[in-house]
PDB file of all heavy atoms in Angstrom:
ATOM      1  N   HIS Z  85      65.774-120.065 -10.556  1.00 96.00           N
ATOM      2  CA  HIS Z  85      66.504-118.831 -10.672  1.00 96.00           C
ATOM      3  C   HIS Z  85      65.815-118.012 -11.783  1.00 96.00           C
ATOM      4  O   HIS Z  85      65.140-118.529 -12.591  1.00 96.00           O
ATOM      5  CB  HIS Z  85      67.942-119.081 -10.944  1.00 96.00           C
ATOM      6  CG  HIS Z  85      68.695-119.686  -9.741  1.00 96.00           C
ATOM      7  ND1 HIS Z  85      69.029-118.869  -8.661  1.00 96.00           N
ATOM      8  CD2 HIS Z  85      69.048-120.959  -9.461  1.00 96.00           C
ATOM      9  CE1 HIS Z  85      69.692-119.709  -7.792  1.00 96.00           C
ATOM     10  NE2 HIS Z  85      69.630-120.948  -8.260  1.00 96.00           N
ATOM     11  N   PRO Z  86      66.077-116.747 -11.763  1.00 95.00           N
ATOM     12  CA  PRO Z  86      65.356-115.919 -12.835  1.00 95.00           C
ATOM     13  C   PRO Z  86      65.580-116.333 -14.260  1.00 95.00           C
ATOM     14  O   PRO Z  86      64.707-116.244 -15.058  1.00 95.00           O
ATOM     15  CB  PRO Z  86      66.139-114.531 -12.613  1.00 95.00           C
ATOM     16  CG  PRO Z  86      66.389-114.458 -11.231  1.00 95.00           C
ATOM     17  CD  PRO Z  86      66.839-115.936 -10.843  1.00 95.00           C
ATOM     18  N   GLU Z  87      66.726-117.002 -14.543  1.00 94.00           N
ATOM     19  CA  GLU Z  87      66.915-117.558 -15.886  1.00 94.00           C
ATOM     20  C   GLU Z  87      66.018-118.739 -16.267  1.00 94.00           C
ATOM     21  O   GLU Z  87      65.882-119.112 -17.337  1.00 94.00           O
ATOM     22  CB  GLU Z  87      68.403-117.987 -16.198  1.00 94.00           C
ATOM     23  CG  GLU Z  87      68.923-118.981 -15.230  1.00 94.00           C
ATOM     24  CD  GLU Z  87      69.664-118.334 -14.007  1.00 94.00           C
ATOM     25  OE1 GLU Z  87      69.294-117.217 -13.608  1.00 94.00           O
ATOM     26  OE2 GLU Z  87      70.538-119.038 -13.495  1.00 94.00           O
ATOM     27  N   ASP Z  88      65.389-119.261 -15.253  1.00 95.00           N
ATOM     28  CA  ASP Z  88      64.349-120.353 -15.371  1.00 95.00           C
ATOM     29  C   ASP Z  88      63.045-119.797 -15.787  1.00 95.00           C
ATOM     30  O   ASP Z  88      62.120-120.552 -16.154  1.00 95.00           O
ATOM     31  CB  ASP Z  88      64.231-121.209 -14.128  1.00 95.00           C
ATOM     32  CG  ASP Z  88      65.525-121.909 -13.823  1.00 95.00           C
ATOM     33  OD1 ASP Z  88      66.283-122.285 -14.755  1.00 95.00           O
ATOM     34  OD2 ASP Z  88      65.786-122.040 -12.604  1.00 95.00           O
ATOM     35  N   SER Z  89      62.880-118.493 -15.698  1.00 94.00           N
ATOM     36  CA  SER Z  89      61.591-117.895 -16.116  1.00 94.00           C
ATOM     37  C   SER Z  89      61.277-118.185 -17.538  1.00 94.00           C
ATOM     38  O   SER Z  89      62.107-117.920 -18.462  1.00 94.00           O
ATOM     39  CB  SER Z  89      61.677-116.335 -15.938  1.00 94.00           C
ATOM     40  OG  SER Z  89      61.771-116.057 -14.579  1.00 94.00           O
ATOM     41  N   SER Z  90      60.210-118.767 -17.808  1.00 91.00           N
ATOM     42  CA  SER Z  90      59.825-119.238 -19.180  1.00 91.00           C
ATOM     43  C   SER Z  90      58.454-119.699 -19.229  1.00 91.00           C
ATOM     44  O   SER Z  90      57.668-119.600 -18.223  1.00 91.00           O
ATOM     45  CB  SER Z  90      60.796-120.340 -19.601  1.00 91.00           C
ATOM     46  OG  SER Z  90      60.717-120.700 -20.938  1.00 91.00           O
ATOM     47  N   PHE Z  91      58.054-120.185 -20.372  1.00 86.00           N
ATOM     48  CA  PHE Z  91      56.702-120.691 -20.642  1.00 86.00           C
ATOM     49  C   PHE Z  91      56.863-122.229 -20.762  1.00 86.00           C
ATOM     50  O   PHE Z  91      57.627-122.682 -21.672  1.00 86.00           O
ATOM     51  CB  PHE Z  91      56.167-120.078 -21.859  1.00 86.00           C
ATOM     52  CG  PHE Z  91      54.694-120.365 -22.089  1.00 86.00           C
ATOM     53  CD1 PHE Z  91      53.761-120.106 -21.172  1.00 86.00           C
ATOM     54  CD2 PHE Z  91      54.239-120.849 -23.321  1.00 86.00           C
ATOM     55  CE1 PHE Z  91      52.356-120.278 -21.356  1.00 86.00           C
ATOM     56  CE2 PHE Z  91      52.950-121.097 -23.586  1.00 86.00           C
ATOM     57  CZ  PHE Z  91      52.025-120.833 -22.593  1.00 86.00           C
ATOM     58  N   TYR Z  92      56.262-122.994 -19.883  1.00 91.00           N
ATOM     59  CA  TYR Z  92      56.518-124.453 -19.917  1.00 91.00           C
ATOM     60  C   TYR Z  92      55.194-125.106 -20.417  1.00 91.00           C
ATOM     61  O   TYR Z  92      54.077-124.835 -19.878  1.00 91.00           O
ATOM     62  CB  TYR Z  92      56.808-124.962 -18.512  1.00 91.00           C
ATOM     63  CG  TYR Z  92      58.137-124.496 -18.039  1.00 91.00           C
ATOM     64  CD1 TYR Z  92      58.309-123.250 -17.334  1.00 91.00           C
ATOM     65  CD2 TYR Z  92      59.356-125.279 -18.236  1.00 91.00           C
ATOM     66  CE1 TYR Z  92      59.565-122.801 -16.963  1.00 91.00           C
ATOM     67  CE2 TYR Z  92      60.490-124.830 -17.845  1.00 91.00           C
ATOM     68  CZ  TYR Z  92      60.676-123.623 -17.170  1.00 91.00           C
ATOM     69  OH  TYR Z  92      61.918-123.195 -16.843  1.00 91.00           O
ATOM     70  N   ILE Z  93      55.318-125.958 -21.395  1.00 88.00           N
ATOM     71  CA  ILE Z  93      54.163-126.545 -22.017  1.00 88.00           C
ATOM     72  C   ILE Z  93      54.320-128.002 -21.962  1.00 88.00           C
ATOM     73  O   ILE Z  93      55.361-128.604 -22.303  1.00 88.00           O
ATOM     74  CB  ILE Z  93      54.011-126.148 -23.537  1.00 88.00           C
ATOM     75  CG1 ILE Z  93      54.010-124.578 -23.626  1.00 88.00           C
ATOM     76  CG2 ILE Z  93      52.800-126.738 -24.143  1.00 88.00           C
ATOM     77  CD1 ILE Z  93      54.137-124.191 -25.096  1.00 88.00           C
ATOM     78  N   CYS Z  94      53.299-128.736 -21.582  1.00 91.00           N
ATOM     79  CA  CYS Z  94      53.257-130.189 -21.656  1.00 91.00           C
ATOM     80  C   CYS Z  94      52.492-130.748 -22.778  1.00 91.00           C
ATOM     81  O   CYS Z  94      51.622-129.899 -23.337  1.00 91.00           O
ATOM     82  CB  CYS Z  94      52.817-130.797 -20.316  1.00 91.00           C
ATOM     83  SG  CYS Z  94      51.046-130.857 -20.135  1.00 91.00           S
ATOM     84  N   SER Z  95      52.810-131.863 -23.255  1.00 88.00           N
ATOM     85  CA  SER Z  95      52.138-132.423 -24.254  1.00 88.00           C
ATOM     86  C   SER Z  95      51.881-133.945 -24.047  1.00 88.00           C
ATOM     87  O   SER Z  95      52.763-134.575 -23.416  1.00 88.00           O
ATOM     88  CB  SER Z  95      52.918-132.363 -25.559  1.00 88.00           C
ATOM     89  OG  SER Z  95      52.222-132.926 -26.691  1.00 88.00           O
ATOM     90  N   ALA Z  96      50.805-134.490 -24.354  1.00 87.00           N
ATOM     91  CA  ALA Z  96      50.455-135.868 -24.021  1.00 87.00           C
ATOM     92  C   ALA Z  96      50.116-136.616 -25.312  1.00 87.00           C
ATOM     93  O   ALA Z  96      49.438-136.140 -26.215  1.00 87.00           O
ATOM     94  CB  ALA Z  96      49.230-136.032 -23.063  1.00 87.00           C
TER      95      ALA Z  96
END
Side-chain angles (χ1 to χ4, degrees):
Chain Z
H85 291 283
E87 57 265 30
D88 298 324
S89 298
S90 187
F91 191 54
Y92 292 87
I93 306 168
C94 78
S95 178

